[in-house]
Amino acid sequence: QVQLVESGGGLVQAGDSVRLSCVASGSILSRNTMAWYRQAPGKQREMVATATSGGITTYTDSVKGRFTISRDNAKNLVYLQMNSLKPEDTAVYYCNYRSIEGDYWGQGTQVSVSS
């Protein structure tokens, strides 16, 4: 089992920056992928950014150049630095951990961007 706890988020204005954090605990394997997903009201959950334990990152097109995912593997932490936020970034953001042993989710943290 893996537990994920997110922090950060809140209500911000368009153009602001926010950093989300997620710490994983439990049965963490050395080879894994951690990611951030988001779900806006009335929409499906979508991948925002992923980062493998080997350092490979991917982003959905709408956040490229604005968001940065990073990891601290020693502390089982993953961050999402979000810059130049837009109202359409408003969503609940979820941390995800995936390995050969399973797929786990955090409880989510709300990010609301006002125009």
Side-chain angles (χ1 to χ4, degrees), residues 62-103:
S62 63
V63 307
K64 286 180 180 177
R66 299 189 298 124
F67 291 10
T68 302
I69 189 170
S70 60
R71 298 179 53 145
D72 182 336
N73 290 332
K75 297 181 179 179
N76 296 322
L77 280 161
V78 62
Y79 304 100
L80 184 68
Q81 178 66 43
M82 304 187 291
N83 298 330
S84 302
L85 282 162
K86 303 176 181 180
E88 51 263 42
D89 294 317
T90 295
V92 177
Y93 284 72
Y94 296 91
C95 180
N96 173 263
Y97 166 95
R98 182 174 299 171
S99 73
I100 59 171
E101 291 188 343
D103 191 11

Side-chain angles (χ1 to χ4, degrees), residues 37-68:
Y37 285 71
R38 66 186 179 188
Q39 186 165 19
K43 295 187 178 181
Q44 290 187 332
R45 189 175 297 189
E46 65 168 350
M47 184 276 292
V48 177
T50 70
T52 70
S53 49
I56 298 172
T57 59
T58 62
Y59 297 90
T60 192
D61 286 346
S62 63
V63 307
K64 286 180 180 177
R66 299 189 298 124
F67 291 10
T68 302

